[in-house]
Amino acid sequence: MNVSAEAGGANLDIAKLAVAALLLIGGIFAFYYFAAYSALLRVIGLLAISGGAAAIALQTQPGRRLWQFVSDARMEVRKVVWPTRQETVQTTLVVMVMVVIVGLVLWLFDMVLMAILRFLTGQGG
């Protein structure tokens, strides 16, 4: 009996997701169909329809799992210790200096290899 209840719930979830998708497709179609009307009104209408489709989709089991994932991700972001402005500036300066140093080393390496290649091929003059 429990299996049939789960199957019915899954079918209902599929139906809700289909309705949400059709609503979203219909909203996009209406946005372009009513191109002669104000863009502001069309955008507001599309946002309203998208919100309705999202509300329907969030009533399904996959939608609830997605919402739980988003909530968990927000909670984890709040736990992050962000660097101070001074740390950010110092790190940026170190990265910039290292980029210049590595660029110079690669340029010198390229010059040496080019000189060796010219010597070996006899194109150096």
Side-chain angles (χ1 to χ4, degrees), residues 16 19-21 23-24 45-59:
K16 287 179 185 178
V19 167
L23 191 61
L24 193 57
L46 184 60
L47 288 174
I49 290 172
S50 299
I56 292 171
L58 287 174
Q59 299 302 315

Side-chain angles (χ1 to χ4, degrees), residues 13-41:
D13 281 352
I14 292 171
K16 287 179 185 178
L17 289 173
V19 167
L22 288 175
L23 191 61
L24 193 57
I25 291 169
I28 293 170
F29 174 78
F31 179 83
Y32 289 109
Y33 183 77
F34 295 109
Y37 291 94
S38 168
L40 177 64
L41 292 176

Side-chain angles (χ1 to χ4, degrees), residues 30-112:
F31 179 83
Y32 289 109
Y33 183 77
F34 295 109
Y37 291 94
S38 168
L40 177 64
L41 292 176
R42 292 185 299 135
V43 168
I44 291 172
L46 184 60
L47 288 174
I49 290 172
S50 299
I56 292 171
L58 287 174
Q59 299 302 315
T60 64
Q61 184 63 30
R64 286 189 286 274
R65 284 197 319 257
L66 176 67
W67 187 254
Q68 184 62 41
F69 174 76
V70 170
S71 298
D72 291 344
R74 288 182 62 202
M75 188 181 337
E76 290 298 323
V77 167
R78 288 184 190 135
K79 293 178 184 178
V80 172
V81 178
W82 297 102
T84 63
R85 180 178 175 84
Q86 181 182 5
E87 291 170 338
T88 304
V89 169
Q90 288 174 347
T91 304
T92 302
L93 289 175
V94 167
V95 168
M96 290 171 67
V97 167
M98 289 305 298
V99 165
V100 170
I101 291 171
V102 169
L104 288 173
V105 167
L106 289 175
W107 176 67
L108 289 173
F109 187 66
D110 182 54
M111 295 296 285
V112 169

